[in-house]
Amino acid sequence: GVLGINRLGQVMHIQVDEQNIVKHIQGTLGNIDLAMKVAARAKLPGAEQLYSASFDQMLRTGDLNGAAEMAARSPNGVLRTPNTINKFKQASQANPGQNPLLIYFSKILEDSTLNAVESIELAR
């Protein structure tokens, strides 16, 4: 929150509702891109469906690097699931010259560590 004192000497405390700010930006302001950026930067809930839809769209269009980066940087690890790993496995069949799982794991390891499911899958 933010504390402030106005000219009358009154102390004010302003705080953002972290559970609803992303939904407010998306719904009231209609700015989906901003909602996703705020959710990612502040690790706030509310953009899970937006991230999932955008991730799926990137995979469909063959943007493996973009999809891997989105999954790796998704707020609260919402896309770092066994389902995501399976989607990258399916993408390897459609892209025989590339290894989408390797791209995914390398994007995660750039800024973070693997979770338990990812570690097991990488060891296979």
Side-chain angles (χ1 to χ4, degrees):
V2 176
L3 287 174
I5 300 175
N6 67 13
R7 292 182 184 186
L8 299 175
Q10 297 171 319
V11 177
M12 304 168 106
H13 179 244
I14 301 169
Q15 189 169 348
V16 172
D17 181 0
E18 293 179 353
Q19 299 299 315
N20 294 311
I21 188 69
V22 174
K23 291 179 185 175
H24 174 76
I25 293 170
Q26 177 188 352
T28 305
L29 301 178
N31 194 335
I32 293 172
D33 189 45
L34 178 62
M36 290 176 65
K37 287 179 182 176
V38 168
R41 182 163 293 168
K43 299 195 182 314
L44 298 173
E48 293 83 3
Q49 295 82 11
L50 297 174
Y51 267 85
S52 183
S54 185
F55 170 77
D56 288 340
Q57 177 64 26
M58 287 181 178
L59 278 181
R60 278 192 300 275
T61 61
D63 183 5
L64 299 175
N65 285 320
E69 189 165 336
M70 177 167 285
R73 291 182 173 80
S74 63
N76 302 319
V78 71
L79 291 176
R80 292 182 59 187
T81 64
N83 187 34
T84 297
I85 292 172
N86 288 333
K87 288 180 181 182
F88 276 107
K89 283 182 183 178
Q90 292 171 355
S92 358
Q93 296 166 354
N95 300 293
Q98 299 176 338
N99 188 340
L101 268 178
L102 187 58
I103 295 169
Y104 170 65
F105 291 135
S106 64
K107 289 292 182 185
I108 290 171
L109 291 170
E110 285 177 7
D111 298 324
S112 185
T113 58
L114 300 177
N115 63 30
V117 173
E118 294 161 345
S119 296
I120 291 169
E121 188 60 41
L122 183 59
R124 288 184 186 184

